[in-house]
Amino acid sequence: MTHGTFELDGREVPFSPGQTILQAALAASVYIPHLCYHPEFKPHGSCKVCTVKVNGRPMSSCTTPAQEGQQVESNTPEINEARRTLVQFLFVEGNHFCPSCEQSGRCTLQATGYALGMTNPQFNPLFPNRPVDASHPDILLDFNRCILCELCVRASGEVDGKSVFALSGRGITKHLIVNAESGKLGDTELSVGDKAVEVCPVGVILRKRKGFDEPIGRRRYDIAAIDEFAAAAPKGGTP
Amino acid sequence: MTTLETAAKPEGLRRIAIDPVSRVEGHGKVTILLDDQRKVHQVRLHIVEFRGFERFIQGRPYWEVPVMVQRLCGICPVSHHLAAAKALDLVVGAKTLTPTADRVRRLMHYGQILQSHALHFFHLASPDLLFGFGSAPAKRNVVGVAAAQPELARQGVLLRKFGQEVIRVTAGKRVHGTGAVPGGVNKHVTRAERDELKAALSQVLEWARAGVQLISRLHLANRHLYDTFGTAKSNLLSLVGARGALELYDGTLRARDPDGKILFDGLDCQQYRSRIAEEVKSWSYMKFPYLSALGPEAGWYKVGPLARVQNCDVITTPLAEAERAAFRDAFDGAITHAPLAYHWARLIELLHAAELIARLLDDDALSEGPLTATGPRRAEGVGVIEAPRGTLIHHYKVAPDDLVTMCNLIVSTTHNNTAMNEVIREVARAELDGREPTEALLNHVEVAIRAFDPCLSCATHALGQMPLLVDLVDAQGLLVKQLRRDSP
C-alpha cells in the first residue's frame, strides 16, 4: 500500500507506511550503498555508509522513516566521497587481504568498495593483531575481517536464540567477542545451519573446508555488481 | 666449490656491484672484489629482498594456502598454487585425484610451463643470444628484438598469451587464479573453451618447434662459447615419471652425479628431507640446498630444464623426444653443464608442454566428472612439482583444528643458488680477471645468471630462519656491542 512519495535524486519514490528511506529505495530498485542493513533485521544505523541528505541534512537512510515530500540526495559526488572514506576506514582498521580471501568475489565490503569507486585504501593500515578462532569443528572465526556490523549479533540473538556473539570495548578498541567462558567458539552452541553463520557480509564467520569452492566467474559479484543486484532484487533489498 | 666465495683479505679490494641484476624475476645483485691488478678475489650473487611466507602462512586455515602462497610470484604462481594443493591433497586424504582434477591441473601446469618458458626465452634471454653479450645496451632488450626481428618477438608474445589462456580456463584468471583446491579442482574446462584453444594449437606447435630450431642453431653455430661459457660441473636433480620419463607434474625424485651416474632414484617426494638439506650463509637471504649424503661442498646441484632434460631417460611426446635425442647427440651422450645449454633444454620443454596440451585438450575428463576426492585426514603433506625453473617443494603440517602449524618451501631458484654462484665465479675468472670491467663484460655475468631463469622473489620466502650478526662500533672503530641471532 503506497502511503506517499519522496524525491530521491530527482526521482519520485513511493513508500509504504513504516518504511525507511533505504527500504523504499531498494523496493524501487534504487541502490543506496549499505553494510550493516539487512532486510531481515531491524535497522541499526551504525555503519553510516547509507548516509543520504534529507532536506539538506545528513541522515542514515536505513533508520530514517520515509515521509511525504522529502528531498533526498544520495548519488552525489560529495556523499559518495564520504561513503568511500568510511569504507576505506573499514579496510585499514582490519586486515582485509582480498587477494587471498576466500570471500573475495562474494564479499559485501569488497563489492561496496568497487561500487564506490574505491581504488586504494588511502589511509595507513593499522594491521591489528587478531588471531583466528579455529576451536569450532565446523566454523572458523577470522576476526581480521570484522567490520562490526553486528549482523551476527542480531541474527544469533533474534533468530537463532543463542546469543553467541557480542561486541565489546569502545571506539577503536571495539571488537567482536564470543559469549563463552573460554571466549572460544568451540564452547558455544553455534552450528553451521544458524542464521548467524549465513549472515556475515564479509569473511569472519566461515564454514570450514569450503574455501575456494566457487570458481572465479561464478561468485556472486562476478555475475553482477552489487548495485545491479539491488536493481534486480525482490522488494526489500539485498542482504 | 671454487675459492672465490670469500676473499682471504677483503680489506683494500675494489668492489664492483651489478645492482640490480636485470632481466631476471625479482631483485638481486652481484658483488665482485678486485685487487689493484684487477684480479678477481670474491664473487657473490646476493638476494636482497625478503618475503616471509613460511612464517605468515602459519596459523592460517589450510584451504587458503594454495591461493595465498601463489602470491610468492607473478610469473609462476601456478607452480606454487599446484605444489601447495598437492601437499594438501594428502592432508585431506585425497591420495588419488579424480580424472578431472588430474587433467585440469596438468593442463594448468603445462600452460604455465609454456608461458613462463616463452617469457624467459623471447623477452629476457634472446636479446643476449641474438645480438651478442657485449652488444649496445640500448638495443639489448625486448624492444630491440621487436625492432630487429618483429616476427620472432610476435611469436614470443603470442606463445605466452596462449599459455596464459590455458591458465585462465583452468584457474579462473591468467594470474593468481583459484582452480586447484585441496583434494582436486573447483571447475571443469568447457568444450567451448577446449575448442577455442584447439584452434590455436597448430600454430603454437609450429612456433614451439621453430623456437627449438632457433636455439639449437645458435648453440651449434657458436659451439665453443655455448659449451664453455660459465660451465661448472654439478649434480642434477629433478622429478622423473614412470620408466624414467620427463615428468613435470608428479613423479619421484632422481639425482645424478656430474658425469650422469644415478645417485638415487625413485625417491618418494614425502621423503625429500632424507636426501636434501639446506645451508644458510650470512651474506644472502637465499638458502643453499645440497644432497645431504655428499655434504654442502660436493652436494650442490642444478635443477630446471638442463637438469630435467638430461636426468630423464625419455620424453613421452614425439616432437620433444626427437629434439631431446638431437640435444643428447650434440653432446655425444655426455652430460653437459654449460649454462647456455639451459636455453636449448628450456625450449625442448616448451615444445613438450605444447604437445601435452594438445593431447590433453582431447580428453573429455576435462569437461565432465567429479571435481574433488577425499579420504582419511592426515596431519602432514609434501607436494613436489617441476616448476618452470626447477623442482619446487612445499611441505605443510596441519593441526586438527585445520590451521597450518609448519610450512617449508624449497623453491626452484633456491636449489640453483650454489650453481648460479659457481657459474658467475667461472665467468668472472674467465672474462674479468686482469681486465677493466666494462658494462659489456659485466653483462657476461648477468648472461650466466639469466640462463638459469632465476626467480629471486620466489626464493626469499624465509623469515626468522637466517643467522644475523649486528656489530655496533663506536667512532674509533671499537666494538661496543654485538647482537647475534643464530639460525635454528
Side-chain angles (χ1 to χ4, degrees):
Chain A
M1 185 183 71
T2 302
H3 191 65
T5 62
F6 62 90
E7 197 177 303
L8 175 59
D9 292 334
R11 176 184 162 177
E12 287 292 313
V13 173
F15 65 91
S16 313
Q19 268 189 326
T20 63
I21 291 172
L22 180 61
Q23 285 167 338
L26 293 173
S29 300
V30 179
Y31 174 65
I32 296 176
H34 56 276
L35 287 172
C36 72
Y37 170 77
H38 188 288
E40 295 177 43
F41 300 104
K42 194 179 162 196
H44 197 254
S46 63
C47 78
K48 304 296 179 195
V49 171
C50 73
T51 297
V52 293
K53 277 192 178 176
V54 182
N55 300 330
R57 287 184 60 198
M59 307 284 281
S60 298
S61 64
C62 71
T63 52
T64 305
Q67 289 179 20
E68 180 66 33
Q70 282 168 326
Q71 295 290 315
V72 180
E73 296 169 67
S74 173
N75 191 16
T76 70
E78 181 198 359
I79 295 172
N80 282 332
E81 172 68 33
R83 290 171 178 154
R84 190 161 53 240
T85 301
L86 287 173
V87 171
Q88 285 169 323
F89 283 159
L90 292 172
F91 268 94
V92 298
E93 285 169 12
N95 296 311
H96 298 274
F97 305 124
C98 298
S100 58
C101 176
E102 65 192 84
Q103 290 303 93
S104 182
R106 49 191 184 194
C107 166
T108 309
L109 180 68
Q110 184 191 47
T112 306
Y114 279 126
L116 291 170
M118 176 183 153
T119 54
N120 62 43
Q122 188 175 339
F123 306 103
N124 289 333
L126 300 183
F127 295 125
N129 184 14
R130 298 182 186 167
V132 302
D133 179 348
S135 59
H136 193 287
D138 301 313
I139 301 160
L140 181 82
L141 264 190
D142 191 337
F143 296 105
N144 290 291
R145 302 160 182 157
C146 186
I147 57 171
L148 307 176
C149 67
E150 288 194 74
L151 282 171
C152 60
V153 178
R154 288 179 271 169
S156 188
E158 294 171 25
V159 179
D160 304 329
K162 295 180 180 176
S163 292
V164 169
F165 298 104
L167 293 190
S168 179
R170 294 186 68 80
I172 197 68
T173 64
K174 184 177 269 193
H175 60 285
L176 185 67
I177 58 165
V178 172
N179 283 329
E181 205 166 319
S182 64
K184 293 288 181 191
L185 196 65
D187 293 329
T188 70
E189 292 177 4
L190 189 72
S191 62
V192 282
D194 286 357
K195 190 72 180 174
V197 176
E198 175 200 312
V199 81
C200 179
V202 287
V204 179
I205 307 173
L206 300 163
R207 290 186 178 88
K208 279 187 169 182
R209 299 173 288 279
K210 191 166 177 279
F212 295 86
D213 60 337
E214 222 169 7
I216 292 168
R218 272 186 250 155
R219 302 167 306 183
R220 180 178 174 84
Y221 298 117
D222 292 338
I223 297 161
I226 194 167
D227 51 339
E228 293 169 322
F229 265 111
K235 306 296 180 194
T238 51
Chain B
M1 279 185 281
T2 55
T3 53
L4 290 182
E5 181 183 329
T6 304
K9 287 185 181 171
E11 301 81 13
L13 293 176
R14 176 179 164 203
R15 178 176 178 274
I16 293 169
I18 304 172
D19 185 12
V21 176
S22 63
R23 281 185 277 137
V24 298
E25 319 295 352
H27 302 277
K29 69 174 177 182
V30 173
T31 57
I32 301 167
L33 298 186
L34 304 172
D35 63 18
D36 291 343
Q37 283 73 48
R38 301 185 189 120
K39 185 172 170 50
V40 177
H41 286 260
Q42 178 177 302
V43 183
R44 290 172 173 179
L45 168 63
H46 306 255
I47 310 304
V48 294
E49 59 184 329
F50 200 53
R51 305 297 298 281
F53 277 75
E54 283 181 340
R55 282 304 285 265
F56 64 67
I57 206 72
Q58 290 177 20
R60 297 304 306 172
Y62 74 79
W63 54 86
E64 202 176 73
V65 171
V67 172
M68 184 180 271
V69 291
Q70 68 175 336
R71 295 277 165 175
L72 270 163
C73 191
I75 300 298
C76 59
V78 166
S79 308
H80 292 289
H81 185 55
L82 290 175
K86 283 184 71 180
L88 295 164
D89 289 343
L90 299 170
V91 170
V92 302
K95 206 169 177 187
T96 305
L97 294 182
T98 66
T100 297
D102 177 73
R103 306 304 185 275
V104 172
R105 284 195 191 175
R106 282 181 181 273
L107 185 59
M108 194 191 303
H109 186 47
Y110 303 147
Q112 166 70 68
I113 295 276
L114 191 143
Q115 74 90 9
S116 177
H117 280 2
L119 167 73
H120 180 260
F121 181 71
F122 293 96
H123 298 227
L124 304 181
S126 74
D128 297 318
L129 308 178
L130 293 171
F131 305 138
F133 304 169
S135 56
K139 186 184 176 190
R140 205 175 55 216
N141 51 53
V142 70
V143 178
V145 174
Q149 301 206 29
E151 178 54 26
L152 185 73
R154 183 175 155 271
Q155 289 176 13
V157 170
L158 292 178
L159 271 173
R160 179 152 192 250
K161 183 183 175 195
F162 178 79
Q164 288 180 306
E165 280 301 296
V166 171
I167 294 169
R168 185 183 63 78
V169 302
T170 49
K173 55 185 182 130
R174 292 180 190 88
V175 183
H176 299 140
T178 63
V181 296
V185 293
N186 67 9
K187 72 189 291 284
H188 291 103
V189 179
T190 67
R191 285 173 200 278
E193 289 166 335
R194 287 162 58 193
D195 289 343
E196 203 170 310
L197 291 171
K198 279 186 193 177
L201 264 178
S202 63
Q203 187 68 83
V204 164
L205 283 163
E206 190 185 316
W207 288 339
R209 290 181 80 172
V212 188
Q213 296 307 317
L214 170 64
I215 189 60
S216 61
R217 213 164 47 238
L218 286 168
H219 192 125
L220 297 174
N222 205 344
R223 198 65 207 256
H224 180 72
L225 172 72
Y226 274 73
D227 283 355
T228 58
F229 179 78
T231 296
K233 282 188 156 193
S234 74
N235 306 293
L236 307 173
L237 177 81
S238 73
L239 288 179
V240 290
R243 295 179 300 284
L246 177 67
E247 174 59 51
L248 300 170
Y249 175 72
D250 190 34
T252 54
L253 287 164
R254 172 189 277 182
R256 289 185 192 268
D257 76 5
D259 298 320
K261 187 179 146 219
I262 288 182
L263 293 168
F264 61 80
D265 198 5
L267 178 68
D268 180 350
C269 292
Q270 304 306 305
Q271 309 302 321
Y272 79 98
R273 276 186 161 167
S274 69
R275 298 284 190 173
I276 297 169
E278 294 177 277
E279 186 185 20
V280 289
K281 297 191 182 187
S282 59
W283 51 270
S284 179
Y285 284 132
M286 186 153 66
K287 292 189 241 183
F288 293 79
Y290 59 93
L291 303 177
S292 40
L294 300 177
E297 288 298 312
W300 56 281
Y301 51 88
K302 286 193 273 284
V303 298
L306 188 62
R308 290 190 290 244
V309 164
Q310 300 189 99
N311 211 5
C312 72
D313 301 321
V314 66
I315 295 180
T316 56
T317 56
L319 299 177
E321 171 59 10
E323 296 296 346
R324 187 189 74 89
F327 178 95
R328 191 192 53 211
D329 292 348
F331 299 100
D332 300 323
I335 299 287
T336 176
H337 293 278
L340 293 179
Y342 259 100
H343 299 297
W344 189 347
R346 189 170 289 117
L347 288 170
I348 293 172
E349 287 190 343
L350 190 155
L351 177 60
H352 177 51
E355 288 182 282
L356 287 169
I357 290 168
R359 194 183 279 175
L360 269 175
L361 287 174
D362 283 328
D363 195 328
D364 286 339
L366 286 171
S367 306
E368 58 201 28
L371 296 172
T372 55
T374 55
R377 178 74 175 261
R378 294 188 203 183
E380 189 171 357
V382 176
V384 180
I385 195 166
E386 284 295 334
R389 291 154 186 81
T391 312
L392 171 63
I393 301 173
H394 280 219
H395 182 185
Y396 302 99
K397 290 182 184 172
V398 180
D401 66 2
D402 299 316
L403 300 184
V404 174
T405 57
M406 190 284 292
C407 167
N408 186 38
L409 311 175
I410 308 183
V411 176
S412 319
T413 296
T414 309
H415 293 290
N416 277 334
N417 196 359
T418 305
M420 287 189 292
N421 271 285
E422 288 303 310
V423 161
I424 61 173
R425 284 165 198 151
E426 287 298 326
V427 171
R429 189 181 290 113
E431 308 283 340
L432 296 180
D433 244 2
R435 300 163 80 179
E436 182 57 29
T438 60
E439 189 281 337
L441 282 178
L442 292 178
N443 185 52
H444 284 62
V445 175
E446 293 188 82
V447 166
I449 296 169
R450 269 178 220 128
F452 289 85
D453 186 13
C455 185
L456 306 177
S457 50
C458 280
T460 57
H461 49 77
L463 180 66
Q465 303 290 312
M466 297 292 170
L468 190 67
L469 188 66
V470 178
D471 288 344
L472 187 61
V473 182
D474 68 13
Q476 282 70 49
L478 296 170
L479 186 68
V480 177
K481 192 174 180 183
Q482 190 173 67
L483 301 171
R484 184 186 186 91
R485 187 188 69 207
D486 291 313
S487 64

